Short mmCIF file of all heavy atoms in Angstrom, two decimals:
data_model
loop_
_atom_site.label_atom_id
_atom_site.label_comp_id
_atom_site.label_asym_id
_atom_site.label_seq_id
_atom_site.Cartn_x
_atom_site.Cartn_y
_atom_site.Cartn_z
N ARG A 251 -13.62 -0.29 4.64
CA ARG A 251 -14.11 -0.30 6.03
C ARG A 251 -13.08 -0.56 7.07
O ARG A 251 -13.17 0.06 8.17
CB ARG A 251 -15.15 -1.44 6.02
CG ARG A 251 -15.86 -1.61 7.45
CD ARG A 251 -16.73 -0.43 7.72
NE ARG A 251 -17.94 -0.57 7.13
CZ ARG A 251 -19.12 -1.25 7.67
NH1 ARG A 251 -19.05 -1.68 8.90
NH2 ARG A 251 -20.20 -1.36 7.04
N HIS A 252 -12.04 -1.43 6.78
CA HIS A 252 -10.95 -1.48 7.74
C HIS A 252 -10.40 -0.17 8.08
O HIS A 252 -10.08 0.12 9.23
CB HIS A 252 -9.81 -2.40 7.11
CG HIS A 252 -10.04 -3.95 7.16
ND1 HIS A 252 -10.29 -4.58 8.27
CD2 HIS A 252 -10.21 -4.76 6.04
CE1 HIS A 252 -10.51 -5.85 7.96
NE2 HIS A 252 -10.40 -5.99 6.68
N CYS A 253 -10.19 0.71 7.02
CA CYS A 253 -9.61 1.96 7.32
C CYS A 253 -10.53 2.94 8.07
O CYS A 253 -10.00 3.53 9.04
CB CYS A 253 -9.29 2.69 5.95
SG CYS A 253 -7.96 1.85 5.04
N GLU A 254 -11.84 2.95 7.77
CA GLU A 254 -12.70 3.73 8.48
C GLU A 254 -12.81 3.29 9.92
O GLU A 254 -12.71 4.11 10.88
CB GLU A 254 -14.16 3.59 7.95
CG GLU A 254 -14.46 4.29 6.64
CD GLU A 254 -15.73 3.82 5.89
OE1 GLU A 254 -16.57 3.26 6.59
OE2 GLU A 254 -15.81 4.07 4.75
N ASN A 255 -12.91 2.02 10.22
CA ASN A 255 -13.01 1.52 11.47
C ASN A 255 -11.64 1.70 12.35
O ASN A 255 -11.71 2.09 13.48
CB ASN A 255 -13.30 0.03 11.51
CG ASN A 255 -14.83 -0.25 11.29
OD1 ASN A 255 -15.56 0.70 11.08
ND2 ASN A 255 -15.18 -1.57 11.24
N GLY A 256 -10.54 1.61 11.68
CA GLY A 256 -9.19 1.84 12.26
C GLY A 256 -9.14 3.28 12.75
O GLY A 256 -8.65 3.49 13.86
N LYS A 257 -9.62 4.12 11.97
CA LYS A 257 -9.54 5.58 12.35
C LYS A 257 -10.36 5.87 13.60
O LYS A 257 -9.91 6.53 14.49
CB LYS A 257 -10.02 6.36 11.23
CG LYS A 257 -10.00 7.94 11.35
CD LYS A 257 -10.51 8.71 10.15
CE LYS A 257 -10.32 10.12 10.42
NZ LYS A 257 -10.64 10.93 9.19
N VAL A 258 -11.58 5.34 13.59
CA VAL A 258 -12.46 5.53 14.79
C VAL A 258 -11.83 4.93 16.02
O VAL A 258 -11.76 5.56 17.08
CB VAL A 258 -13.84 4.98 14.55
CG1 VAL A 258 -14.69 5.09 15.81
CG2 VAL A 258 -14.54 5.72 13.39
N ILE A 259 -11.21 3.64 15.93
CA ILE A 259 -10.71 3.08 17.01
C ILE A 259 -9.45 3.73 17.52
O ILE A 259 -9.27 3.97 18.79
CB ILE A 259 -10.23 1.55 16.66
CG1 ILE A 259 -11.58 0.66 16.39
CG2 ILE A 259 -9.50 0.94 17.74
CD1 ILE A 259 -12.37 0.35 17.54
N ALA A 260 -8.67 4.23 16.65
CA ALA A 260 -7.39 5.00 17.09
C ALA A 260 -7.78 6.25 17.79
O ALA A 260 -7.22 6.58 18.86
CB ALA A 260 -6.53 5.29 15.81
N ASN A 261 -8.77 6.88 17.35
CA ASN A 261 -9.15 8.10 17.97
C ASN A 261 -9.86 7.90 19.28
O ASN A 261 -9.72 8.65 20.27
CB ASN A 261 -10.01 9.01 16.97
CG ASN A 261 -9.20 9.69 16.01
OD1 ASN A 261 -8.27 10.41 16.31
ND2 ASN A 261 -9.47 9.46 14.66
N PHE A 262 -10.67 6.80 19.37
CA PHE A 262 -11.24 6.46 20.60
C PHE A 262 -10.23 6.08 21.72
O PHE A 262 -10.13 6.61 22.78
CB PHE A 262 -12.14 5.27 20.47
CG PHE A 262 -12.45 4.51 21.74
CD1 PHE A 262 -13.23 4.99 22.76
CD2 PHE A 262 -11.80 3.33 22.08
CE1 PHE A 262 -13.49 4.38 23.96
CE2 PHE A 262 -12.02 2.59 23.17
CZ PHE A 262 -12.86 3.19 24.19
N LEU A 263 -9.23 5.28 21.30
CA LEU A 263 -8.06 4.90 22.24
C LEU A 263 -7.39 6.13 22.67
O LEU A 263 -7.00 6.23 23.90
CB LEU A 263 -7.11 4.04 21.53
CG LEU A 263 -7.74 2.56 21.23
CD1 LEU A 263 -6.72 1.80 20.39
CD2 LEU A 263 -8.02 1.84 22.64
N TRP A 274 -1.01 4.55 15.02
CA TRP A 274 -1.78 4.31 13.78
C TRP A 274 -1.27 5.44 12.87
O TRP A 274 -1.25 6.59 13.19
CB TRP A 274 -3.20 4.56 14.11
CG TRP A 274 -4.10 4.22 12.86
CD1 TRP A 274 -4.31 2.98 12.26
CD2 TRP A 274 -4.90 5.20 12.16
NE1 TRP A 274 -5.20 3.14 11.23
CE2 TRP A 274 -5.60 4.43 11.12
CE3 TRP A 274 -5.17 6.57 12.30
CZ2 TRP A 274 -6.46 5.02 10.23
CZ3 TRP A 274 -6.07 7.12 11.39
CH2 TRP A 274 -6.67 6.43 10.33
N GLY A 276 -2.29 7.11 10.45
CA GLY A 276 -3.19 8.23 10.12
C GLY A 276 -3.23 9.31 11.17
O GLY A 276 -3.82 10.33 10.86
N LEU A 277 -2.75 9.04 12.36
CA LEU A 277 -2.73 10.12 13.44
C LEU A 277 -1.66 11.13 13.07
O LEU A 277 -0.51 10.77 12.68
CB LEU A 277 -2.46 9.44 14.80
CG LEU A 277 -3.51 8.52 15.41
CD1 LEU A 277 -3.04 7.79 16.62
CD2 LEU A 277 -4.81 9.31 15.68
N ASP A 292 -4.62 5.49 2.12
CA ASP A 292 -5.34 5.66 3.45
C ASP A 292 -4.44 4.89 4.45
O ASP A 292 -3.32 4.49 4.06
CB ASP A 292 -6.78 5.00 3.35
CG ASP A 292 -7.72 5.50 4.36
OD1 ASP A 292 -7.31 5.92 5.43
OD2 ASP A 292 -8.92 5.47 4.08
N PHE A 293 -4.91 4.68 5.62
CA PHE A 293 -3.88 4.21 6.67
C PHE A 293 -4.16 2.89 7.37
O PHE A 293 -3.40 2.50 8.16
CB PHE A 293 -3.84 5.34 7.73
CG PHE A 293 -3.60 6.70 7.21
CD1 PHE A 293 -4.63 7.62 7.03
CD2 PHE A 293 -2.38 7.02 6.75
CE1 PHE A 293 -4.40 8.86 6.49
CE2 PHE A 293 -2.02 8.19 6.15
CZ PHE A 293 -3.15 9.14 6.07
N GLY A 294 -5.10 2.14 6.77
CA GLY A 294 -5.27 0.70 7.21
C GLY A 294 -5.99 0.50 8.53
O GLY A 294 -6.36 1.39 9.27
N GLY A 295 -6.19 -0.81 8.88
CA GLY A 295 -6.93 -1.09 10.04
C GLY A 295 -6.07 -1.77 11.13
O GLY A 295 -6.62 -2.37 11.99
N VAL A 297 -3.90 -1.22 14.45
CA VAL A 297 -3.74 -0.11 15.40
C VAL A 297 -3.02 -0.88 16.65
O VAL A 297 -3.44 -1.92 17.04
CB VAL A 297 -5.12 0.38 15.91
CG1 VAL A 297 -4.83 1.49 16.89
CG2 VAL A 297 -5.91 0.97 14.77
N VAL A 362 -8.19 -4.42 13.26
CA VAL A 362 -9.60 -4.00 13.35
C VAL A 362 -10.44 -4.54 12.15
O VAL A 362 -9.99 -4.25 10.99
CB VAL A 362 -9.71 -2.42 13.34
CG1 VAL A 362 -11.16 -1.98 13.46
CG2 VAL A 362 -8.87 -1.88 14.62
N ILE A 367 -18.94 -0.49 13.83
CA ILE A 367 -17.99 0.21 14.68
C ILE A 367 -18.46 0.45 16.07
O ILE A 367 -17.55 0.37 17.01
CB ILE A 367 -17.49 1.50 13.97
CG1 ILE A 367 -16.30 2.13 14.74
CG2 ILE A 367 -18.60 2.46 13.76
CD1 ILE A 367 -15.10 1.28 14.78
#
Side-chain angles (χ1 to χ4, degrees):
R251 180 68 82 92
H252 282 299
C253 293
E254 283 167 21
N255 283 358
K257 181 176 185 176
V258 176
I259 294 287
N261 284 304
F262 159 73
L263 289 170
W274 185 67
L277 293 171
D292 203 334
F293 306 104
V297 181
V362 181
I367 188 62

